[in-house]
Amino acid sequence: MTLLHYKGKVTFEKIGQLVDEMEALFTGKNYTVNVYKKVLSAMVELLENIHKHHAERDNNLHSEYPDIFELKRQDGSFVVEGSNLMDNNELPCTQKHIERIKNYNKEQAKRVYKEIIGNGRFSDKGGAGLGFLEIRRVSENNFNYQITPVNDEYSYFTLKIYVKVFFKKEK
């Protein structure tokens, strides 16, 4: 069941609006605070990645391959999903980074997270490399991606993050 859907350019203002909509969806529901925080974190990380890493493109590609965000309930999980056009030159580095993070055990992931926090270095796009580590943490390493080639310059990148649903216990 789709709870939120957005198709179009992802700006910081749009991220704020989508977060507000997500908060409204969770208000009065019986989900644990931990589930809410995990879904919120996954959502913000995904939307920031789309904002920072979407490829600048001509209008024809923009209409055919728009930035997309969805929040769904499916089989006992929330699914946070996003797609965006990426420059093919960025894909090998992105794939290598994701695969490395997916292969970490829980302790390795914690150690790398602490190292990155401690070094204080940021990329040209303003990130510190924590996004996929945070996605790994909140999804308990239950996320996947797909790359669909578009042409020689661009590919369409889709990321799906799964967060298990837990409900508050009745008192």
Side-chain angles (χ1 to χ4, degrees):
M1 172 173 64
T2 300
L3 304 172
L4 279 177
H5 176 87
Y6 174 73
K7 181 166 67 170
K9 186 172 182 170
V10 174
T11 63
F12 281 119
E13 293 79 18
K14 181 49 72 177
I15 292 171
Q17 290 172 1
L18 289 167
V19 166
D20 289 345
E21 289 179 41
M22 179 267 199
E23 288 175 347
L25 285 170
F26 274 67
T27 300
K29 300 292 190 277
N30 203 27
Y31 305 118
T32 65
V33 172
N34 196 30
V35 168
Y36 167 79
K37 287 180 180 180
K38 285 180 176 185
V39 172
L40 178 63
S41 182
M43 182 177 165
V44 169
E45 291 296 342
L46 183 134
L47 288 166
E48 284 184 352
N49 279 343
I50 291 173
H51 175 72
K52 289 179 188 173
H53 298 288
H54 77 271
E56 295 299 326
R57 64 240 185 216
D58 63 45
N59 286 337
N60 291 339
L61 283 179
H62 179 68
S63 61
E64 195 173 342
Y65 299 96
D67 297 340
I68 296 176
F69 167 79
E70 287 189 324
L71 174 63
K72 305 174 194 171
R73 269 288 304 275
Q74 175 183 313
D75 300 327
S77 291
F78 284 103
V79 181
V80 182
E81 181 176 348
S83 300
N84 62 290
L85 205 60
M86 281 187 71
D87 188 308
N88 285 339
N89 293 325
E90 288 186 26
L91 284 176
C93 184
T94 300
Q95 280 182 280
K96 185 177 175 183
H97 184 61
I98 293 170
E99 290 304 322
R100 184 174 52 244
I101 288 170
K102 285 190 75 61
N103 287 319
Y104 289 152
N105 65 36
K106 196 172 184 176
E107 292 307 313
Q108 288 172 312
K110 280 183 183 180
R111 181 180 47 77
V112 171
Y113 189 92
K114 287 178 183 178
E115 286 173 9
I116 292 171
I117 290 286
N119 75 26
R121 283 182 268 162
F122 294 90
S123 73
D124 294 343
K125 295 192 177 191
L130 293 173
F132 284 110
L133 281 166
E134 180 64 11
I135 288 167
R136 183 196 188 288
R137 184 186 70 77
V138 300
S139 70
E140 299 175 14
N141 206 21
N142 190 4
F143 68 98
N144 57 54
Y145 67 96
Q146 179 180 344
I147 297 169
T148 306
V150 172
N151 59 29
D152 291 341
E153 292 181 73
Y154 303 109
S155 293
Y156 202 53
F157 179 85
T158 299
L159 180 66
K160 285 187 179 183
I161 307 161
Y162 300 86
V163 177
K164 289 181 190 171
V165 174
F166 293 100
F167 296 97
K168 295 176 189 172
K169 294 183 179 174
E170 296 295 323
K171 293 181 182 182

